[in-house]
Amino acid sequence: MELYQKTAANLSLMLQKKEVSSVEVVQSFLDRIELVEPHVKAFITHTPLIALETASAVDKKRLLGEDLHPLAGVPIAIKDNLCTAGLRTTCASRILENFIPPYDATVVEAIKRAGMPLLGKTNMDEFAMGSSTENSAFFSTANPWNLDKVPGGSSGGSAAAVSTGMAPLALGSDTGGSIRQPASFCGLIGLRPTYGRVSRYGLIAFASSLDQIGPLSLTAHDSALLMDVVAGYDPLDSTSLPEAVPDYAAGLEGEIKKLRVGVIKQNLADGFNPEVKAAVLKLVALLGANGAEIDEISLPLADYGLGAYYLIAPSEASSNLGRYDGVRYGYNAGGDNIEVMFSRTRGEGFGPEVKRRIIIGTYALSAGYYDAYYLQAMKVRTLIRRDYEAAFKKFDLLVGATTPTPAFNIGEKADDPLQMYLSDICNINDALAGVPSLSVPSGIDSCGLPLGMQMTAPPSREGLLLKIAGFLEQKRDPFPLRPRVKLSEGGEL
Amino acid sequence: MAVDFGKEVDHVARLARLTLEPEEKERMTGQLSDILDTARRIQELDTGGVEPTSHVLDLPVVLREDETRPSLPLNRVLQNAPRRQKNFFRVPSIISNVQAEK
């Protein structure tokens, strides 16, 4: 087995036992990137020199016997909406094409402190708005399981990078499904933590009341290790949770207490792909066979989540993206008066989906519509949260499909935004409620595409999600976690 | 009730300071009507007496002492400015002809 095929947990052990150096590990991923990246295109910016430099520094410290973080020397890829000091951060947008952040995001600082070599910045839908990574202003990313399919989005580059062994770990961000949906489409673990669990400082804002950063990885253990690096209170993020954070990796050990599992009816709806549903029910049965109490639950407000989300998220986006005016940073289209400059800069700098959402959001917030749209959506959000509070009185865990279908074709939904939005239908309500939510691989369909099950826990219980995901990994019928990347010209990687 | 969004787009684009090309506007109008038709379904719900969500986890408002703290040095604040003059962001005239009238 090549180094790039190993899990982060494995690499961490090998490094700690000095069976391998971090430079060797990083070189294995760089070689893999050279081979696979031309076909998958997961990265906007590659940082091989930074990665090797960090790796070599870690190796030196290890030789000197210094105390190192368990993930020291284990490389990572991060989504290109996380600010990296001195390193271009584009948000996959023309408007930030040449933006060099003057500071690091808190999570980036944490990664550096842990000694994790950065392999690059991954592709995404522009400003994290999308579900296929086709909205990147630069290029689309392919699904490694079938290069004609989308990898999901908006963290599609992060998902594709981990899936192909171009990185053992990645960070993404999830506003309404952007970690979980690509994780499902690429056969990975993807965790959206509790709102406030991971600092948003230095994450380029899309919808601030919904944005959360989280891990994508091959296994639950790997995501737990990465959560141990990035989770925790940050005074620089005023919405950060002022709570102690458990040791997620240590929390994977031990018995699972008797679980009450609620199967969300709306997330296994009639129109869903039958193979998606069958795979979820198989994992649910496995939980049942191991002592969990299973029951069905209907979230009465579930069907209103999409409407509320597509008012709240664009409203916040229209406000957040007001800062791109060509003055302090980013693209500037010129113009001899200020209003022309603002409008032209934004008209030329933003892509179609971003413009669509700015228009929806500006409309929903504008005079005469605010009460009927934005305010009503925020009240509906309260009702949705109450749905969850009631559900968690009866259940420890809610489950359903992560997505209604497996990965769809590149181009299939590109001209139909509403259909694109519907691919996040199972992910949105958890985001509105602020609760942690994780996608775990549930199988491979008859076309060879990965499927996922979404599990949701009460606030601050992401540890339970990781633990159950780890349990399922051990107990489920085995299936391949990584694809052979089949090239259109023949051959596979 | 379907809203004719075409009439609104010009006004809203102006509010958002966003230039839209004619074909862009046309394509967007149909798509936005569809999206808003879906979003508008939330208006069916009775939300009388329901507080809007301001923070999902009901955290108290976080305040800090009003003290100066270290911040970014000026050259790094200005390093990404597309147009810069000395220690300023340079912009086109905002209030026209003020100088001339004086």
Side-chain angles (χ1 to χ4, degrees):
Chain A
M1 196 192 235
E2 303 289 333
L3 290 172
Y4 74 80
Q5 293 170 309
K6 295 185 184 293
T7 63
N10 262 325
L11 293 169
S12 159
L13 273 182
M14 292 176 74
L15 285 161
Q16 289 179 64
K17 290 187 197 157
K18 298 184 188 155
E19 292 170 5
V20 67
S21 74
S22 177
V23 168
E24 287 172 292
V25 170
V26 165
Q27 195 55 57
S28 176
F29 284 98
L30 293 178
D31 293 346
R32 180 68 179 163
I33 289 171
E34 200 176 320
L35 198 66
V36 175
E37 176 67 354
H39 308 282
V40 174
K41 296 200 282 188
F43 291 88
I44 291 175
T45 304
H46 293 276
T47 54
L49 297 180
I50 294 175
L52 286 168
E53 199 180 305
T54 308
S56 142
V58 167
D59 286 341
K60 277 187 196 126
K61 285 184 187 169
R62 205 183 299 278
L63 281 176
L64 292 170
E66 285 184 32
D67 244 0
L68 292 171
H69 189 280
L71 284 184
V74 177
I76 186 168
I78 66 176
K79 191 173 178 178
D80 206 22
N81 58 353
L82 294 166
C83 284
T84 41
L87 176 67
R88 189 172 78 123
T89 300
T90 69
C91 238
S93 181
R94 290 277 170 222
I95 215 157
L96 286 176
E97 192 168 2
N98 300 309
F99 176 61
I100 311 282
Y103 61 88
D104 277 326
T106 296
V107 294
V108 172
E109 238 178 54
I111 284 165
K112 286 184 175 173
R113 216 171 25 242
M116 300 178 72
L118 178 66
L119 291 164
K121 308 287 298 283
T122 56
N123 199 21
M124 54 185 281
D125 289 295
E126 183 178 5
F127 282 99
M129 298 176 190
S131 313
S132 68
T133 314
E134 291 166 291
N135 294 337
S136 167
F138 308 125
F139 46 82
S140 296
T141 298
N143 187 311
W145 295 78
N146 178 338
L147 298 178
D148 297 327
K149 307 275 179 186
V150 302
S154 65
S155 311
S158 287
V162 175
S163 167
T164 47
M166 292 196 280
L169 287 170
L171 282 177
S173 67
D174 187 313
T175 303
S178 282
I179 290 173
R180 295 162 285 158
Q181 186 254 23
S184 177
F185 279 9
C186 292
L188 301 173
I189 296 280
L191 170 64
R192 173 195 168 86
T194 310
Y195 181 76
R197 183 52 105 187
V198 177
S199 168
R200 293 183 296 110
Y201 181 74
L203 166 68
I204 297 178
F206 158 16
S208 304
S209 79
L210 294 156
D211 298 341
Q212 259 298 282
I213 298 166
L216 293 103
S217 66
L218 209 57
T219 65
H221 190 185
D222 283 3
S223 274
L225 287 168
L226 186 50
M227 278 298 283
D228 283 331
V229 175
V230 297
Y233 175 69
D234 179 12
L236 295 175
D237 173 0
S238 63
T239 57
S240 178
L241 272 178
E243 272 176 27
V245 175
D247 181 330
Y248 293 106
L252 296 175
E253 308 292 328
E255 288 293 294
I256 293 172
K257 274 189 244 150
K258 196 164 167 58
L259 272 185
R260 298 165 301 164
V261 177
V263 181
I264 303 174
K265 249 165 102 172
Q266 287 88 351
N267 286 358
L268 287 176
D270 285 342
F272 283 26
N273 176 299
E275 289 189 84
V276 167
K277 293 204 279 187
V280 169
L281 292 174
K282 210 171 154 188
L283 290 190
V284 170
L286 187 58
L287 289 173
N290 283 277
E293 227 174 80
I294 314 286
D295 209 346
E296 202 172 64
I297 178 171
S298 172
L299 294 174
L301 271 297
D303 293 340
Y304 294 94
L306 188 79
Y309 179 86
Y310 276 99
L311 292 168
I312 294 167
S315 293
E316 293 185 16
S318 76
S319 169
N320 272 326
L321 272 56
R323 71 192 69 180
Y324 303 103
D325 55 10
V327 176
R328 287 155 299 166
Y329 34 66
Y331 175 73
N332 179 312
D336 49 14
N337 82 57
I338 193 97
E339 191 161 322
V340 169
M341 185 192 85
F342 286 163
S343 303
R344 267 176 38 186
T345 293
R346 294 161 62 76
E348 292 172 22
F350 290 134
E353 181 61 27
V354 175
K355 289 185 196 175
R356 212 154 27 230
R357 299 214 196 176
I358 289 175
I359 294 287
I360 295 171
T362 307
Y363 177 75
L365 293 173
S366 65
Y369 295 109
Y370 180 88
D371 285 359
Y373 287 105
Y374 184 70
L375 192 64
Q376 175 72 357
M378 289 309 252
K379 289 178 179 172
V380 171
R381 189 173 186 183
T382 303
L383 296 177
I384 289 170
R385 286 165 55 211
R386 287 184 192 162
D387 261 12
Y388 276 81
E389 280 162 20
F392 285 127
K393 288 198 175 111
K394 283 196 257 171
F395 299 104
D396 306 302
L397 190 73
L398 303 177
V399 301
T402 308
T403 59
T405 67
F408 46 87
N409 288 327
I410 292 174
E412 187 180 327
K413 299 178 199 261
D415 296 324
D416 191 344
L418 193 57
Q419 282 307 309
M420 188 70 89
Y421 298 171
L422 283 166
S423 87
D424 295 337
I425 188 85
C426 303
N427 315 130
I428 279 169
N429 289 309
D430 293 355
L432 288 169
V435 293
S437 183
L438 176 146
S439 183
V440 58
S442 57
I444 309 283
D445 78 355
S446 49
C447 307
L449 290 171
L451 305 170
M453 177 172 88
Q454 181 174 264
M455 307 193 289
T456 309
S460 300
R461 299 298 311 277
E462 40 277 280
L464 178 71
L465 297 178
L466 291 164
K467 187 170 187 166
I468 297 181
F471 171 83
L472 290 172
E473 284 167 358
Q474 288 166 22
K475 299 279 181 174
R476 71 193 172 200
D477 295 336
F479 51 82
L481 286 181
R482 279 202 170 121
R484 292 175 183 278
V485 182
K486 291 195 179 65
L487 307 179
S488 56
E489 60 266 36
E492 54 185 35
L493 300 172
Chain B
M1 175 199 68
V3 169
D4 177 7
F5 206 70
K7 290 177 193 159
E8 304 275 2
V9 168
D10 281 325
H11 170 64
V12 175
R14 166 82 216 291
L15 289 176
R17 301 293 185 272
L18 193 59
T19 304
L20 297 176
E21 299 300 325
E23 59 273 27
E24 230 177 352
K25 205 177 301 177
E26 197 180 320
R27 196 166 354 111
M28 205 178 275
T29 302
Q31 294 168 335
L32 291 173
S33 303
D34 284 355
I35 295 164
L36 281 171
D37 280 341
T38 302
R40 212 175 286 113
R41 285 198 48 216
I42 64 166
Q43 290 166 359
E44 297 164 8
L45 291 169
D46 179 6
T47 53
V50 177
E51 279 290 308
T53 292
S54 57
H55 189 295
V56 280
L57 299 174
D58 289 326
L59 285 188
V61 174
V62 180
L63 298 173
R64 65 169 174 82
E65 292 306 310
D66 186 16
E67 291 165 348
T68 51
R69 292 190 298 188
S71 54
L72 289 174
L74 204 52
N75 61 339
R76 278 168 73 200
V77 171
L78 288 158
Q79 76 184 15
N80 281 288
R83 280 148 208 231
R84 171 181 176 178
Q85 193 171 329
K86 293 182 184 159
N87 283 338
F88 299 100
F89 298 112
R90 191 185 158 92
V91 294
S93 66
I94 293 172
I95 304 165
S96 51
N97 297 328
V98 171
Q99 285 308 103
E101 280 162 23
K102 278 184 186 170

